[in-house]
Amino acid sequence: MTTDQSAPGGPRPTSRDARATNGPAPGGTDPQYRRDPGDEVRASAFDEADQGRPTGNGPADAARTTRKRPSADDAPGKKAGTADTAAGRTAAGKNASAGNGTDRDKAATGKAPAAGKVADQSEVAAGKTAAAGKAADQDEAALGKTADQGKANTEDTADARSEAGATNKVGDQDEPGEKDKGGKKDKGRGRKKAGGDGAGAGDSGTPDGSPAAGGSKPDGTPAEGASKPDPWAAFGPAPEPVPTWYGRLGRWVGRLLIHEWTLAAVASLALAVLMTWPTLRYPAHTLPQDYWDPSLQAWQMAWSGHILLTEPAQLWHANAFFPERWSFAFSDTLLGYAPAGMIGSGPEAALVRYNIVFVLAHALATFGAYVLARQLGASRTGSAVVGVAYTYAPWLLAQAGHLHVVSNGGIPLALAMLARGHGWSLRHGYRPERRHEGWVYAGWLVAAWQLSLGFGIGLPFAYVLAGTVLVAAVIWYGKRIFWRLKRPFGQRLFVADLIGGLIFAGVGVLMAIPYFTVAQLHPNAERTIDDIAIFSPPATGFVTAPAESRLWGGLHEGARSLLPWHPEMTLLPGFVLYALAVGGLFFSIWKVRQRLLLLAGALVAMALSMGTELFGGRFTYVPLFDHLPGWSGIRTPGRLMLWATLLLGLLAAGAVSAFAERVREISAERIPSWPSPWLRLATLVPLLLVVAEGINTTPHPVVPAQPAAMRSIDGPLLVLPSGQNHDQPVMLWSTTRFQDIVNGGSGFTPRQLDDVRRVTMTFPDQTSVDYLRTLGVHNVLVLRGKIAGTPWEVSVDAPVDGLGITREEIDDIVVFRL
């Protein structure tokens, strides 16, 4: 029940707060009395609208109306010149309600602090006396709360202090319902300021030294009404510790180590080491499959690294095939591996480098295909099937001696990055919110790196990439024009595609210039359609495995014997892959339209892989050979099976992913929701079968050791006997000093080298010596261990008198100095 008193400073009726006088103080810890932060704003607006309205307090109204306001200079602690808001201080007839809590209402009441009591800072500003022992304020002060409701401006606080000191009246204690709602500002520091702004009676904060509300008595005992600290506060959550820089770094490294891409990369590398074993068993002495083409490719990496550190302008004029120019462009260069060639020198370092890169190439192919499948929407298991099938398909086992063919991981990795940068996936389509131009730049750079490894694999990739860009642009603008479907693309994404495409095209042009030059200087280097026919596999090649396949190699020996050139015609991608791809046509996460497109792409790639065997190639390979620049440089069409393998793998991933999702649905229906070990194992069966088909029996022969004379004899020199398979190890031996050598092996034989081999069959005689001197050759090395059954077996010890040359024996090498 609210008491209506007309005495100044007494309790006044309220129309907005109907709480009982003996109830809890507003603003206390009771949730039902926590004030709305908007109360003060509404109260202030209510008061200003009611200025001049009688409050029913009689003489108090007139006294408040005529009371002189103290000046700003009289207010203690107030800055001079601070403006006052006059609206809420001079209203004599205001109907102040107990819950308003605004500083203007309390200043207008003219209440003085009660004897022995110290108000909150907001109550001092209003001239009121805080009730001793108000539990709510003490509780909140104990908890360290600072309420932000009822913010008192500086002018009101100073005016109220002056007015309270001038009147020196003792007002009645407010009822609990009138407890200051708006005065919660600085509850924690209001009592501290009371000692300084009040009568100045010491620590108790009151003029007579008595304890303030919520404080302590001089003897240290709690004052009446004061509350103890909340014992339950100890059970609250501990504050978050501020992380240190090394703590943040550790957490970042931890997240990186368990990221899916990190785990996929590590798994790909571990699988590559196992599947290519024993490549890394004796990396300084052996090479996978044979030591002919691998020796050539080991020399290519060593040469590019060496010459870029010494004379970059001479990159394309290698030390082999002397005195030919542009000899580095006689075959695919593996130029993208030049940074690896900068490490170490000599044949042993070249062998170690080659074997490490060989393993890493397998790991990159697995990782790239896995990432591409994941970006397109396949599950982890389905993506793993794609990665393994793409890297260890049985037909690729026959390519173990061709590092430029095995190094195909940049193709799926670049496609995955470009798709991610454009926010596109096969399963979810185009999602503009996932665009990121950084991935677009990375994708184009990886594509350019893949192209730098060689045109044998890179040229078809360039045409596929160009076709993809063209088709995507046509579909994009077709939907905008005909379907009125406007989807954002972004200027930055367009710029990224433009710059990235120019970089890719620039690398292609710079790489193509030496090859076009070689084609002009050596017309015999160009392939004809008859050359393509020699290496074109028949349809039976798609179900025939190479001899290196542990599972199918022995069983398919009869089928291989019917092929004219079986190393390039055994194109089996795997019977398990065939079965999974067929299953993916009927049960898959891909849409039916997408499945048909993947199937069509695989069939087109297989048709092109047959070269001239399918209807003479008139509708498949021959048009590309005749009209696309550079396509005539591709010697073996069967390597286009790489694209068919990738597309078949994506079809298979759709089936495996759908199977894995079905297993999760079945496990969710179980109680508890957990799949049985057999269900989990069933999802791995396709992956295990694909791995089993990729196990190989690739030989690892020991590379012939470098003769000691190759480390000391200057060039230009010729090593006999000379031939395609003999010269490739000689190129590897020259990596110690990179002296000029006449020997060389590549995709074609220059006519001059062919003449050297023909003329030197009778060496040493006057004709061969004069011819070599004309070429600028200074030394000839004859390997005694290689001349059995050749003309040099007899002529190497023939007299050299009258030829103007000398002969010297260095270990097993006969050195003729011209």
Side-chain angles (χ1 to χ4, degrees):
M1 180 175 180
T2 304
T3 305
D4 186 0
Q5 299 181 14
S6 60
R12 298 183 306 274
T14 176
S15 59
R16 302 176 56 198
D17 190 352
R19 289 186 291 271
T21 57
N22 55 353
T29 57
D30 194 335
Q32 78 178 37
Y33 292 114
R34 291 179 182 173
R35 62 181 287 114
D36 185 351
D39 284 347
E40 293 177 10
V41 177
R42 291 190 293 270
S44 177
F46 179 83
D47 292 345
E48 291 179 6
D50 286 347
Q51 285 183 15
R53 182 178 300 175
T55 61
N57 288 335
D61 291 333
R64 281 189 294 268
T65 303
T66 59
R67 181 177 300 151
K68 177 185 176 183
R69 291 184 58 191
S71 64
D73 298 334
D74 296 334
K78 178 160 184 183
K79 294 182 180 180
T82 307
D84 276 315
T85 303
R89 293 179 176 80
T90 59
K94 180 180 291 188
N95 182 15
S97 59
N100 281 347
T102 60
D103 290 338
R104 288 186 291 270
D105 293 338
K106 295 179 181 178
T109 60
K111 293 184 181 180
K117 300 292 191 295
V118 174
D120 274 29
Q121 182 178 348
S122 58
E123 291 186 301
V124 172
K128 285 189 177 181
T129 301
K134 294 292 178 81
D137 288 341
Q138 281 77 24
D139 288 344
E140 291 184 5
L143 291 173
K145 295 183 178 178
T146 302
D148 58 357
Q149 295 93 343
K151 296 181 179 179
N153 55 38
T154 308
E155 298 89 306
D156 295 343
T157 304
D159 289 345
R161 286 201 191 106
S162 297
E163 196 172 76
T167 56
N168 196 22
K169 291 185 179 181
V170 179
D172 292 328
Q173 179 176 333
D174 287 341
E175 292 180 359
E178 292 185 345
K179 181 62 178 145
D180 178 20
K181 293 183 180 178
K184 290 186 180 179
K185 178 180 179 182
D186 297 333
K187 285 186 180 293
R189 59 191 178 97
R191 279 179 274 280
K192 180 178 179 181
K193 288 186 176 182
D197 291 340
D203 293 340
S204 62
T206 59
D208 59 353
S210 61
S216 300
K217 295 181 180 180
D219 58 357
T221 60
E224 182 181 357
S227 62
K228 297 181 180 180
D230 187 1
W232 299 103
F235 293 91
E240 282 290 335
V242 178
T244 58
W245 67 268
Y246 49 85
R248 292 192 298 269
L249 178 62
R251 283 196 293 271
W252 180 83
V253 172
R255 289 192 299 268
L256 179 64
L257 292 178
I258 63 174
H259 196 276
E260 178 184 354
W261 303 138
T262 304
L263 298 178
V266 172
S268 299
L269 181 60
L271 185 64
V273 173
L274 293 176
M275 296 294 284
T276 60
W277 191 260
T279 299
L280 295 182
R281 186 176 184 180
Y282 304 110
H285 306 284
T286 64
L287 285 172
Q289 197 173 52
D290 56 58
Y291 57 78
W292 300 315
D293 282 352
S295 295
L296 162 65
Q297 292 159 351
W299 166 81
Q300 287 174 329
M301 285 191 289
W303 167 256
S304 60
H306 160 76
I307 201 65
L308 289 177
L309 290 176
T310 55
E311 297 179 87
Q314 300 298 315
L315 171 65
W316 297 103
H317 310 300
N319 68 313
F321 298 97
F322 178 84
E324 295 284 357
R325 304 285 288 174
W326 304 99
S327 57
F328 194 52
F330 285 178
S331 59
D332 280 339
T333 62
L334 296 173
L335 186 59
Y337 289 140
M342 298 177 182
I343 304 174
S345 62
E348 289 191 358
L351 292 178
V352 172
R353 184 187 307 119
Y354 179 92
N355 286 316
I356 291 177
V357 170
F358 179 78
V359 175
L360 291 178
H362 284 79
L364 180 62
T366 305
F367 178 74
Y370 175 88
V371 170
L372 176 61
R374 287 291 286 158
Q375 173 61 31
L376 295 181
S379 67
R380 292 183 176 87
T381 306
S383 301
V385 169
V386 179
V388 174
Y390 178 77
T391 309
Y392 305 103
W395 76 272
L396 275 169
L397 301 179
Q399 304 293 331
H402 301 139
L403 183 60
H404 61 292
V405 179
V406 174
S407 300
N408 52 56
I411 293 175
L413 184 60
L415 294 176
M417 289 178 170
L418 290 173
R420 186 179 183 88
H422 288 83
W424 184 85
S425 71
L426 186 62
R427 190 173 186 182
H428 304 288
Y430 178 62
R431 291 179 286 183
E433 68 278 3
R434 299 201 172 195
R435 294 170 299 167
H436 197 291
E437 61 275 5
W439 286 111
V440 175
Y441 285 112
W444 284 111
L445 291 176
V446 172
W449 173 81
Q450 177 66 54
L451 187 63
S452 70
L453 295 178
F455 284 116
I457 297 297
L459 185 64
F461 173 50
Y463 280 114
V464 169
L465 202 55
T468 302
V469 172
L470 180 62
V471 171
V474 170
I475 294 176
W476 179 271
Y477 286 104
K479 288 186 176 182
R480 290 180 66 92
I481 296 173
F482 298 104
W483 283 271
R484 302 295 182 182
L485 181 60
K486 295 185 178 181
R487 296 181 295 179
F489 190 81
Q491 182 178 1
R492 291 191 300 178
L493 196 61
F494 176 78
V495 171
D497 280 323
L498 182 61
I499 295 177
L502 290 176
I503 293 174
F504 179 79
V507 171
V509 170
L510 292 176
M511 291 281 295
I513 290 174
Y515 287 93
F516 283 115
T517 304
V518 169
Q520 293 175 356
L521 297 175
H522 304 275
N524 62 320
E526 288 194 32
R527 271 80 178 185
T528 64
I529 197 66
D530 294 331
D531 296 329
I532 302 302
I534 296 175
F535 298 99
S536 297
T540 56
F542 296 120
V543 292
T544 305
E548 290 82 0
S549 174
R550 181 178 294 275
L551 190 60
W552 306 115
L555 297 175
H556 293 181
E557 185 176 358
R560 285 194 304 274
S561 64
L562 301 177
L563 300 175
W565 183 249
H566 67 83
E568 298 288 351
M569 296 182 179
T570 51
L571 302 181
L572 175 67
F575 291 111
V576 175
L577 185 61
Y578 277 145
L580 292 175
V582 171
L585 292 175
F586 304 97
F587 179 66
S588 176
I589 61 172
W590 314 126
K591 298 177 182 178
V592 176
R593 174 173 54 87
Q594 296 167 346
R595 303 175 206 174
L596 295 178
L597 288 175
L598 290 174
L599 177 62
L603 293 177
V604 169
M606 295 174 74
L608 293 176
S609 300
M610 296 178 67
T612 60
E613 282 293 316
L614 185 64
F615 304 113
R618 291 189 301 272
F619 309 106
T620 55
Y621 199 88
V622 173
L624 302 180
F625 184 89
D626 291 338
H627 301 292
L628 289 185
W631 200 273
S632 58
I634 299 178
R635 180 171 61 99
T636 53
R639 295 172 183 175
L640 293 173
M641 191 63 188
L642 185 72
W643 292 95
T645 305
L646 180 60
L647 296 174
L648 290 173
L650 292 176
L651 266 177
V656 176
S657 300
F659 177 57
E661 288 185 359
R662 181 56 183 157
V663 168
R664 286 195 295 270
E665 292 174 0
I666 294 175
S667 65
E669 297 172 358
R670 295 169 56 89
I671 301 177
S673 176
W674 190 258
S676 67
W678 296 109
L679 284 177
R680 290 200 300 268
L681 183 61
T683 61
L684 299 178
V685 169
L687 176 61
L688 296 176
L689 292 177
V690 172
V691 172
E693 272 198 305
I695 299 176
N696 65 84
T697 58
T698 302
H700 287 74
V702 176
V703 180
Q706 179 193 37
M710 290 292 296
R711 296 191 292 269
S712 58
I713 301 299
D714 294 330
L717 58 83
L718 169 67
V719 179
L720 297 175
S722 176
Q724 178 74 9
N725 293 335
H726 290 290
D727 285 0
Q728 289 168 336
V730 174
M731 299 169 75
L732 177 64
W733 295 340
S734 71
T735 56
T736 299
R737 303 182 60 185
F738 289 103
Q739 65 268 56
D740 290 333
I741 58 176
V742 179
N743 305 76
S746 67
F748 79 100
T749 302
R751 290 179 179 176
Q752 183 171 284
L753 179 58
D754 194 36
D755 292 341
V756 169
R757 291 171 178 171
R758 178 175 49 82
V759 172
T760 57
M761 291 296 293
T762 59
F763 183 85
D765 64 347
Q766 192 65 52
T767 301
S768 59
V769 170
D770 291 343
Y771 180 74
L772 293 176
R773 283 173 175 167
T774 301
L775 296 179
V777 178
H778 296 165
N779 300 291
V780 177
L781 280 65
V782 180
L783 307 178
R784 284 190 178 273
K786 302 290 183 180
I787 60 176
T790 66
W792 298 292
E793 187 177 8
V794 176
S795 62
V796 69
D797 295 320
V800 294
D801 297 339
L803 298 178
I805 62 176
T806 59
R807 180 170 53 198
E808 178 185 359
E809 296 276 349
I810 301 178
D811 295 335
D812 199 26
I813 306 298
V814 181
V815 180
F816 294 89
R817 303 184 184 275
L818 308 184

PDB file of all heavy atoms in Angstrom, residues 340-354:
ATOM      1  N   ALA A 340      64.237 -29.103 -58.479  1.00  0.00           N
ATOM      2  CA  ALA A 340      64.856 -30.301 -57.900  1.00  0.00           C
ATOM      3  C   ALA A 340      66.229 -30.536 -58.498  1.00  0.00           C
ATOM      4  O   ALA A 340      67.147 -31.022 -57.814  1.00  0.00           O
ATOM      5  CB  ALA A 340      63.954 -31.520 -58.136  1.00  0.00           C
ATOM      6  N   GLY A 341      66.414 -30.190 -59.789  1.00  0.00           N
ATOM      7  CA  GLY A 341      67.706 -30.386 -60.422  1.00  0.00           C
ATOM      8  C   GLY A 341      68.790 -29.477 -59.898  1.00  0.00           C
ATOM      9  O   GLY A 341      69.973 -29.700 -60.175  1.00  0.00           O
ATOM     10  N   MET A 342      68.420 -28.470 -59.147  1.00  0.00           N
ATOM     11  CA  MET A 342      69.417 -27.567 -58.574  1.00  0.00           C
ATOM     12  C   MET A 342      70.082 -28.146 -57.330  1.00  0.00           C
ATOM     13  O   MET A 342      71.027 -27.552 -56.808  1.00  0.00           O
ATOM     14  CB  MET A 342      68.761 -26.228 -58.233  1.00  0.00           C
ATOM     15  CG  MET A 342      68.184 -25.503 -59.437  1.00  0.00           C
ATOM     16  SD  MET A 342      67.341 -23.957 -58.962  1.00  0.00           S
ATOM     17  CE  MET A 342      66.735 -23.397 -60.554  1.00  0.00           C
ATOM     18  N   ILE A 343      69.602 -29.275 -56.861  1.00  0.00           N
ATOM     19  CA  ILE A 343      70.130 -29.884 -55.645  1.00  0.00           C
ATOM     20  C   ILE A 343      71.041 -31.045 -56.036  1.00  0.00           C
ATOM     21  O   ILE A 343      70.617 -31.994 -56.687  1.00  0.00           O
ATOM     22  CB  ILE A 343      68.992 -30.398 -54.743  1.00  0.00           C
ATOM     23  CG1 ILE A 343      68.033 -29.254 -54.420  1.00  0.00           C
ATOM     24  CG2 ILE A 343      69.537 -31.017 -53.472  1.00  0.00           C
ATOM     25  CD1 ILE A 343      66.795 -29.688 -53.666  1.00  0.00           C
ATOM     26  N   GLY A 344      72.300 -30.964 -55.649  1.00  0.00           N
ATOM     27  CA  GLY A 344      73.242 -32.046 -55.919  1.00  0.00           C
ATOM     28  C   GLY A 344      73.811 -31.986 -57.321  1.00  0.00           C
ATOM     29  O   GLY A 344      73.375 -31.211 -58.181  1.00  0.00           O
ATOM     30  N   SER A 345      74.821 -32.826 -57.554  1.00  0.00           N
ATOM     31  CA  SER A 345      75.461 -32.912 -58.864  1.00  0.00           C
ATOM     32  C   SER A 345      75.996 -34.319 -59.048  1.00  0.00           C
ATOM     33  O   SER A 345      76.256 -35.045 -58.082  1.00  0.00           O
ATOM     34  CB  SER A 345      76.597 -31.878 -58.993  1.00  0.00           C
ATOM     35  OG  SER A 345      77.607 -32.138 -58.036  1.00  0.00           O
ATOM     36  N   GLY A 346      76.171 -34.698 -60.299  1.00  0.00           N
ATOM     37  CA  GLY A 346      76.690 -36.016 -60.608  1.00  0.00           C
ATOM     38  C   GLY A 346      75.598 -37.045 -60.830  1.00  0.00           C
ATOM     39  O   GLY A 346      74.420 -36.825 -60.526  1.00  0.00           O
ATOM     40  N   PRO A 347      75.979 -38.213 -61.378  1.00  0.00           N
ATOM     41  CA  PRO A 347      74.996 -39.248 -61.707  1.00  0.00           C
ATOM     42  C   PRO A 347      74.243 -39.791 -60.499  1.00  0.00           C
ATOM     43  O   PRO A 347      73.027 -40.042 -60.581  1.00  0.00           O
ATOM     44  CB  PRO A 347      75.849 -40.335 -62.365  1.00  0.00           C
ATOM     45  CG  PRO A 347      77.075 -39.636 -62.846  1.00  0.00           C
ATOM     46  CD  PRO A 347      77.319 -38.556 -61.840  1.00  0.00           C
ATOM     47  N   GLU A 348      74.937 -40.003 -59.395  1.00  0.00           N
ATOM     48  CA  GLU A 348      74.249 -40.561 -58.231  1.00  0.00           C
ATOM     49  C   GLU A 348      73.188 -39.598 -57.710  1.00  0.00           C
ATOM     50  O   GLU A 348      72.070 -40.021 -57.362  1.00  0.00           O
ATOM     51  CB  GLU A 348      75.259 -40.902 -57.129  1.00  0.00           C
ATOM     52  CG  GLU A 348      76.136 -42.098 -57.436  1.00  0.00           C
ATOM     53  CD  GLU A 348      76.928 -42.547 -56.236  1.00  0.00           C
ATOM     54  OE1 GLU A 348      76.812 -41.881 -55.169  1.00  0.00           O
ATOM     55  OE2 GLU A 348      77.665 -43.543 -56.345  1.00  0.00           O
ATOM     56  N   ALA A 349      73.512 -38.316 -57.642  1.00  0.00           N
ATOM     57  CA  ALA A 349      72.515 -37.334 -57.218  1.00  0.00           C
ATOM     58  C   ALA A 349      71.357 -37.298 -58.203  1.00  0.00           C
ATOM     59  O   ALA A 349      70.191 -37.158 -57.803  1.00  0.00           O
ATOM     60  CB  ALA A 349      73.158 -35.952 -57.104  1.00  0.00           C
ATOM     61  N   ALA A 350      71.653 -37.463 -59.495  1.00  0.00           N
ATOM     62  CA  ALA A 350      70.585 -37.466 -60.495  1.00  0.00           C
ATOM     63  C   ALA A 350      69.670 -38.671 -60.311  1.00  0.00           C
ATOM     64  O   ALA A 350      68.451 -38.573 -60.484  1.00  0.00           O
ATOM     65  CB  ALA A 350      71.186 -37.462 -61.897  1.00  0.00           C
ATOM     66  N   LEU A 351      70.231 -39.812 -59.962  1.00  0.00           N
ATOM     67  CA  LEU A 351      69.418 -41.011 -59.741  1.00  0.00           C
ATOM     68  C   LEU A 351      68.543 -40.856 -58.503  1.00  0.00           C
ATOM     69  O   LEU A 351      67.351 -41.202 -58.523  1.00  0.00           O
ATOM     70  CB  LEU A 351      70.319 -42.238 -59.603  1.00  0.00           C
ATOM     71  CG  LEU A 351      71.080 -42.680 -60.865  1.00  0.00           C
ATOM     72  CD1 LEU A 351      71.973 -43.866 -60.559  1.00  0.00           C
ATOM     73  CD2 LEU A 351      70.111 -43.013 -61.977  1.00  0.00           C
ATOM     74  N   VAL A 352      69.126 -40.380 -57.418  1.00  0.00           N
ATOM     75  CA  VAL A 352      68.343 -40.175 -56.193  1.00  0.00           C
ATOM     76  C   VAL A 352      67.221 -39.184 -56.456  1.00  0.00           C
ATOM     77  O   VAL A 352      66.073 -39.385 -56.032  1.00  0.00           O
ATOM     78  CB  VAL A 352      69.259 -39.687 -55.054  1.00  0.00           C
ATOM     79  CG1 VAL A 352      68.436 -39.296 -53.838  1.00  0.00           C
ATOM     80  CG2 VAL A 352      70.263 -40.769 -54.684  1.00  0.00           C
ATOM     81  N   ARG A 353      67.529 -38.112 -57.148  1.00  0.00           N
ATOM     82  CA  ARG A 353      66.521 -37.100 -57.469  1.00  0.00           C
ATOM     83  C   ARG A 353      65.391 -37.707 -58.295  1.00  0.00           C
ATOM     84  O   ARG A 353      64.212 -37.473 -58.025  1.00  0.00           O
ATOM     85  CB  ARG A 353      67.200 -35.972 -58.234  1.00  0.00           C
ATOM     86  CG  ARG A 353      66.311 -34.802 -58.566  1.00  0.00           C
ATOM     87  CD  ARG A 353      67.056 -33.831 -59.468  1.00  0.00           C
ATOM     88  NE  ARG A 353      68.339 -33.429 -58.919  1.00  0.00           N
ATOM     89  CZ  ARG A 353      69.509 -33.665 -59.514  1.00  0.00           C
ATOM     90  NH1 ARG A 353      69.550 -34.316 -60.666  1.00  0.00           N
ATOM     91  NH2 ARG A 353      70.633 -33.264 -58.954  1.00  0.00           N
ATOM     92  N   TYR A 354      65.760 -38.502 -59.290  1.00  0.00           N
ATOM     93  CA  TYR A 354      64.734 -39.100 -60.142  1.00  0.00           C
ATOM     94  C   TYR A 354      63.829 -40.034 -59.340  1.00  0.00           C
ATOM     95  O   TYR A 354      62.601 -39.983 -59.488  1.00  0.00           O
ATOM     96  CB  TYR A 354      65.398 -39.875 -61.284  1.00  0.00           C
ATOM     97  CG  TYR A 354      64.406 -40.554 -62.198  1.00  0.00           C
ATOM     98  CD1 TYR A 354      63.922 -39.916 -63.335  1.00  0.00           C
ATOM     99  CD2 TYR A 354      63.945 -41.839 -61.928  1.00  0.00           C
ATOM    100  CE1 TYR A 354      63.006 -40.534 -64.178  1.00  0.00           C
ATOM    101  CE2 TYR A 354      63.027 -42.464 -62.756  1.00  0.00           C
ATOM    102  CZ  TYR A 354      62.566 -41.805 -63.880  1.00  0.00           C
ATOM    103  OH  TYR A 354      61.651 -42.417 -64.693  1.00  0.00           O
TER     104      TYR A 354
END
